[in-house]
Amino acid sequence: NTLSEIEEYYKAREQQLLEKLHQQEAALAAAEQTLKQLTENQRAPVDETAEQHAAREQKLKEELYRDPLTGAYNRRYYDERLKNLEGRFSFAMIDMDNFKHINDRFGHQAGDAALYRAAQAIKSQIRSDDELVRYGGDEFFLLFRDLPQQILEKKLQSIRAALDEIVIEEYPEPYISASIGGAFAAGRILRTIRRADLAMYQAKLKKDCVAIYREEKEHET
């Protein structure tokens, strides 16, 4: 499979989940109508059924926002939940180095394994309320809502080091690394993202490094 075919698969998967959610919503509407017709002594088991439907609906919504390969949030989550946020944010863009080479030389299964392990390595270095998004292909977004600006670089360096330590038993030859751009800004999150993108461009010139956006210049480490 080509990378475009993989992305098409993910899009089709999201569409299937969306259709399931619509079906579930219709089923919930029918269940609510039935609830109105039940007698008071049937209320307890009926309430249990309603809770089961609600839990199933929540599970489907969660699946809609998850990338099936990495377990990170997907682009739908970014589009619907993140891109219009306002506030003070620390943000990072993480781009895998030489990912096309891994796919071309070792195959797409090796590429998928690398992306999965990369996501797990990143998650091992962040908090449960930090939001990791697989934006597309081999690019990840990482949102920290309340990370102090002075800690951002240290946090991103720990992520870079964790990525460097990845070993894929099935494919031991590929070396996994990433270029990471970080930024801190107040206001619309799109401003922070643009700054992180500029920093990542600087990091990509060197590869396997972290760059932090500065007001006067981009700083590489």
Side-chain angles (χ1 to χ4, degrees):
N1 294 334
T2 65
L3 185 58
S4 61
E5 289 173 338
I6 294 173
E7 294 298 331
E8 287 299 322
Y9 166 80
Y10 293 149
K11 291 179 182 178
R13 172 64 174 161
E14 289 181 0
Q15 184 61 38
Q16 290 172 358
L17 290 171
L18 185 60
E19 291 174 358
K20 287 182 180 180
L21 180 59
H22 289 163
Q23 293 170 0
Q24 185 64 32
E25 289 173 345
L28 281 170
E32 289 173 358
Q33 184 62 33
T34 301
L35 283 171
K36 294 178 182 179
Q37 300 173 0
L38 293 172
T39 60
E40 189 67 26
N41 64 345
Q42 294 174 314
R43 185 173 303 278
V46 169
D47 286 346
E48 182 180 355
T49 300
E51 290 176 3
Q52 291 172 346
H53 280 297
R56 192 176 300 113
E57 180 183 29
Q58 182 60 38
K59 182 180 179 181
L60 286 171
K61 286 181 178 179
E62 179 69 12
E63 289 183 13
L64 279 173
Y65 287 138
R66 290 289 178 183
D67 171 48
L69 175 62
T70 64
Y73 289 114
N74 57 22
R75 184 164 180 169
R76 179 192 294 275
Y77 181 83
Y78 167 79
D79 288 338
E80 296 182 4
R81 296 294 185 89
L82 299 184
K83 74 176 183 180
N84 294 318
L85 291 177
E86 294 189 18
R88 299 175 67 85
F89 303 107
S90 294
F91 195 88
M93 299 181 71
I94 304 171
D95 191 82
M96 305 298 292
D97 295 329
N98 304 316
F99 183 72
K100 184 177 184 301
H101 172 74
I102 294 176
N103 272 333
D104 291 345
R105 182 175 178 184
F106 302 101
H108 291 288
Q109 288 185 334
D112 286 352
L115 288 172
Y116 173 79
R117 297 295 179 84
Q120 301 313 302
I122 296 168
K123 290 177 184 178
S124 73
Q125 302 300 313
I126 62 178
R127 304 162 299 183
S128 60
D129 56 347
D130 297 329
E131 292 162 283
L132 177 65
V133 177
R134 184 187 177 202
Y135 187 71
D138 60 333
E139 186 173 37
F140 293 90
F141 287 177
L142 183 53
L143 173 65
F144 305 98
R145 293 178 184 265
D146 58 355
L147 187 72
Q149 183 177 7
Q150 63 271 23
I151 299 177
L152 176 61
E153 184 170 357
K154 182 178 179 180
K155 173 62 66 175
L156 297 185
Q157 287 288 8
S158 73
I159 291 172
R160 184 194 60 78
L163 291 168
D164 283 350
E165 293 176 1
I166 292 175
V167 175
I168 306 175
E169 291 79 5
E170 308 95 314
Y171 307 97
E173 292 187 54
Y175 173 72
I176 309 300
S177 69
S179 301
I180 305 174
F184 177 89
R188 293 196 65 188
I189 194 173
L190 291 177
R191 180 188 182 196
T192 317
I193 292 173
R194 284 193 294 269
R195 291 182 169 190
D197 189 33
L198 288 171
M200 189 183 71
Y201 175 77
Q202 294 295 318
K204 290 296 288 185
L205 296 177
K206 186 176 180 181
K207 296 187 178 180
D208 192 18
C209 73
V210 171
I212 302 296
Y213 179 90
R214 311 295 189 196
E215 290 292 339
E216 298 297 329
K217 62 180 179 180
E218 292 75 34
H219 171 65
E220 293 186 14
T221 61

